[in-house]
Amino acid sequence: MSRVRIKSAAIAATLGAFVVSATAQTQVVAPKNKYSPSDDVKIGQEAAQQVQQQLPVMRDPSVNNYLNAIGRRLVENIPREFQHPEFRYTFTGVNLREINAFALPGGPMFINRGMIEKAHNEGEVAGVMAHELSHVALRHGTAQQTKATPYAIGEVAGQILGAIVGGRTGSVIAQGSQFGIGTYFMKFSREYEQQADILGSHIMASAGYDPRDMANVFKTIQHESGAGAPQWMSDHPDPGNRYEYINREARMLNATTNARRDTPEFQSVRSYLRGLAPAPTTEEVARNRNAGRTTGGNASVPDSRPNPGSVSGPDSRFTTYNEGDLFRVSVPSNWREMGSNDTVTFAPEGAYGSLNGQGVFTHGVQIGVSRNEAHDLQTATDELIQSLRQANPRLSGTNGYQRGSLGGRPAVHTLLSNVSDVTGGQEVVDVYTADLNGSLFYVLGVAPRDQYNAYANIFGKIAKSIQFVR
């Protein structure tokens, strides 16, 4: 299976609480985090280097000086309990048409040109930036990783980039593994989204902006048609009643009069951008990059196409692997382990490699964890499959669900069909899922359709061998 990427994956984190103070202002408590602020900085700086290399970052002082002026104003008004002296806040424009913005752990923030062009005033630009800044200040990325899989932080830059870009385009651009640790560091739960909304509204009010502009720009993003809107909304799911509760918070903050909104600086930057050539879409950038050169893949995957014709059948002997403190699994002894930061793949020699800089495999299994916000196993599995389809549009199925167990937990099993990007032939994707403490644990078995009968029992044995450690 090639270019597999889960659009929304993470183990549910322990969430900070919301309380209401005597002044009626909602207070935010940062979630638990076993990582140090310096870890956030390291991760963010590594990923920012990849962003600089692979996205059309703007070197234009007219844009970046404006964004940094807004950014500094917001940073100066982060509440003291969420200030981290180690963090390195920077604010950089990206010459892309889509409505999107993202902030990396430790401080680097990137704002698409399309976001500025679609905003109605400076308050809306500041609203998006305050929201992203709040994710950084609350350290949501590493807070999610605190309760995530046991795989170590490291080699995350290209994987975060894939999460930023999203979809098949992200699969082409990213240098990371198929699922990518960016799904932890960049895609937040609805609870974390509400925390970022609330803290962002406080930062805006303290900086002289009207938090209602944050609510307005989110409504614009939600209703905007085209390629840009879905990516931001998928990374930043609406917790429900977002527009209403941000406006309610604005009234409690009493920050709706004399606010900084339609400034001359904003109008000047908007006019300047209109005079430039239209910004490309992310897909156009990816296509141009792909036509020019192929980027390197994950260090654990050779930078060459798989050779399915050389693949030997699965060994009858099995080897057991301990995957951190999460689970144990047994696989054929002639299969090799290739771990990324939030998944592990087992495949035979010849079945794995890279295509357009992206790790791919034609035979084997991949195991990982996806966030389950549905709290219903079948619904969560449907969402997993839908995410797989975004990176593999020729994926089809299911043939219905069979109930069973996985590691002693209730599970479902189904089969999907796909067209391999490597061979162009049909392949079968064997899907096993189980609930894991409120998250979705999955096993994906992949084999060419004409060889599936020789692998079906193997996939079943692998699934039955799963033992959860916690």
Side-chain angles (χ1 to χ4, degrees):
M1 191 171 188
S2 57
R3 299 197 181 102
V4 182
R5 181 174 177 274
I6 295 300
K7 198 166 182 60
S8 180
I11 297 182
T14 300
L15 302 176
F18 291 100
V19 297
V20 179
S21 71
T23 60
Q25 176 178 310
T26 306
Q27 301 299 305
V28 180
V29 180
K32 293 181 180 179
N33 197 318
K34 71 179 182 182
Y35 296 96
S36 69
S38 61
D39 289 327
D40 291 56
V41 173
K42 181 177 185 295
I43 292 161
Q45 292 300 314
E46 289 176 353
Q49 290 177 12
Q50 286 296 313
V51 173
Q52 296 278 351
Q53 292 172 13
Q54 300 206 31
L55 292 184
V57 170
M58 301 183 77
R59 318 287 180 183
D60 194 322
S62 298
V63 176
N64 291 335
N65 289 347
Y66 174 68
L67 293 174
N68 274 274
I70 298 174
R72 286 194 302 271
R73 188 189 308 271
L74 295 172
V75 169
E76 289 170 358
N77 287 279
I78 296 173
R80 180 172 299 177
E81 63 268 32
F82 304 125
Q83 292 179 6
H84 304 286
E86 305 93 330
F87 284 8
R88 309 174 192 173
Y89 291 103
T90 56
F91 307 89
T92 307
V94 182
N95 191 38
L96 287 173
R97 189 181 308 170
E98 292 92 348
I99 298 178
N100 204 1
F102 58 90
L104 302 171
M109 186 184 298
F110 297 86
I111 301 94
N112 277 14
R113 175 180 161 187
M115 177 65 74
I116 303 171
E117 291 179 322
K118 288 293 184 180
H120 296 97
N121 54 53
E122 183 175 301
E124 293 191 357
V125 176
V128 172
M129 293 174 66
H131 176 96
E132 298 293 346
L133 190 68
S134 296
H135 281 307
V136 176
L138 291 165
R139 304 184 58 221
H140 279 160
T142 46
Q144 287 191 148
Q145 178 72 2
T146 293
K147 292 295 183 181
T149 66
Y151 306 115
I153 293 177
E155 299 180 0
V156 302
Q159 297 163 7
I160 287 179
L161 186 64
I164 291 165
V165 175
R168 288 183 64 83
T169 305
S171 298
V172 172
I173 291 181
Q175 290 188 344
S177 66
Q178 287 144 315
F179 290 88
I181 202 167
T183 55
Y184 290 150
F185 287 112
M186 299 304 300
K187 299 177 184 298
F188 301 112
S189 67
R190 288 179 172 86
E191 291 85 351
Y192 282 11
E193 283 302 298
Q194 187 172 10
Q195 281 196 328
D197 290 342
I198 297 298
L199 181 60
S201 69
H202 297 176
I203 293 172
M204 286 187 75
S206 296
Y209 292 103
D210 185 345
R212 292 179 302 180
D213 285 328
M214 178 195 289
N216 292 335
V217 75
F218 289 165
K219 184 170 276 190
T220 297
I221 294 169
Q222 190 170 18
H223 293 156
E224 180 71 21
S225 61
Q231 176 62 23
W232 196 92
M233 293 304 295
S234 68
D235 293 348
H236 301 268
D238 188 342
N241 301 315
R242 168 177 260 161
Y243 182 81
E244 290 78 8
Y245 70 67
I246 294 175
N247 275 283
R248 184 169 61 249
E249 196 73 19
R251 290 192 295 271
M252 289 192 291
L253 293 165
N254 194 27
T256 59
T257 57
N258 300 319
R260 187 177 174 88
R261 182 173 279 112
D262 193 10
T263 65
E265 294 85 356
F266 171 77
Q267 293 298 336
S268 176
V269 168
R270 283 280 301 273
S271 297
Y272 175 75
L273 291 175
R274 290 193 189 104
L276 301 179
T281 65
T282 308
E283 184 176 357
E284 289 169 345
V285 171
R287 191 163 54 241
N288 291 339
R289 285 184 56 81
N290 203 32
R293 64 183 178 88
T294 299
T295 59
N298 189 326
S300 64
V301 181
D303 189 16
S304 60
R305 292 176 67 98
N307 182 15
S310 68
V311 173
S312 300
D315 198 320
S316 59
R317 297 169 299 172
F318 275 57
T319 299
T320 299
Y321 292 82
N322 292 307
E323 297 303 325
D325 62 352
L326 187 65
F327 69 95
R328 288 189 290 272
V329 63
S330 298
V331 301
S333 295
N334 64 336
W335 288 12
R336 176 183 171 186
E337 178 186 24
M338 293 168 289
S340 72
N341 293 287
D342 61 346
T343 64
V344 61
T345 301
F346 297 95
E349 292 290 339
Y352 51 83
S354 66
L355 183 65
N356 295 329
Q358 181 68 18
V360 295
F361 67 106
T362 59
H363 305 66
V365 296
Q366 190 164 79
I367 304 172
V369 182
S370 172
R371 185 167 65 234
N372 176 8
E373 293 189 357
H375 305 298
D376 170 78
L377 182 56
Q378 185 166 322
T379 303
T381 306
D382 288 339
E383 292 177 352
L384 172 76
I385 292 170
Q386 182 59 36
S387 294
L388 290 170
R389 285 200 182 102
Q390 294 187 21
N392 300 269
R394 292 180 288 185
L395 187 71
S396 63
T398 70
N399 64 339
Y401 291 108
Q402 295 178 337
R403 297 281 174 174
S405 64
L406 191 69
R409 299 169 185 260
V412 296
H413 172 225
T414 191
L415 296 177
L416 307 175
S417 296
N418 191 40
V419 177
S420 170
D421 283 346
V422 177
T423 66
Q426 293 286 326
E427 62 185 6
V428 177
V429 183
D430 220 334
V431 181
Y432 295 85
T433 62
D435 179 78
L436 181 62
N437 303 324
S439 297
L440 187 71
F441 182 89
Y442 55 84
V443 180
L444 306 177
V446 178
R449 179 171 295 280
D450 60 0
Q451 299 176 37
Y452 176 71
N453 288 340
Y455 283 84
N457 287 337
I458 297 297
F459 296 151
K461 288 180 180 179
I462 292 172
K464 288 180 181 178
S465 76
I466 296 287
Q467 294 181 315
F468 294 113
V469 178
R470 57 187 172 97

